[in-house]
């Protein structure tokens, strides 16, 4: 049973390039951060117990490089990550 909160993002780049506006991965992560900050306001005792965890669904491998190298505050899961 998983009792920790986690966020799932579905990040589409390549297959939506001509159908929708481009949003940088930092824009997605801004909302992820807002979720966790709201969670910690509601449950302040969890701030130092819960790791910020994100499951990433994407067909663009460059997204994972960007997340792992620039936004290191989070733990990431995906079918593409070991």
């Amino acid at each position: 049973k998983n009792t920790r909160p986690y966020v799932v993002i579905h990040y589409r780049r390549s297959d939506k390039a001509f159908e929708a506006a481009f949003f940088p991965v930092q824009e997605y992560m801004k909302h992820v951060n807002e979720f966790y900050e709201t969670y910690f306001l509601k449950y302040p005792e969890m701030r130092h117990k819960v790791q910020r965890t994100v499951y990433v669904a994407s067909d663009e491998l460059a997204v994972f490089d960007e997340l792992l190298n620039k936004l290191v505050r989070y733990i990431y899961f995906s079918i593409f990550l070991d």
Side-chain angles (χ1 to χ4, degrees), residues 12-56:
R12 298 176 77 177
R13 274 189 182 166
S14 59
D15 66 332
K16 288 293 184 182
F18 301 107
E19 297 177 27
F22 172 80
F23 291 97
V25 72
Q26 289 88 347
E27 186 67 26
Y28 284 75
M29 295 308 290
K30 180 174 76 172
H31 297 290
V32 171
N33 191 58
E34 288 173 3
F35 165 81
Y36 278 108
E37 289 305 317
T38 301
Y39 176 82
F40 293 137
L41 284 174
K42 187 172 182 178
Y43 304 104
E45 70 281 1
M46 299 302 287
R47 182 170 290 277
H48 299 290
K49 295 178 184 176
V50 169
Q51 295 177 316
R52 295 170 185 241
T53 306
V54 182
Y55 181 86
V56 182

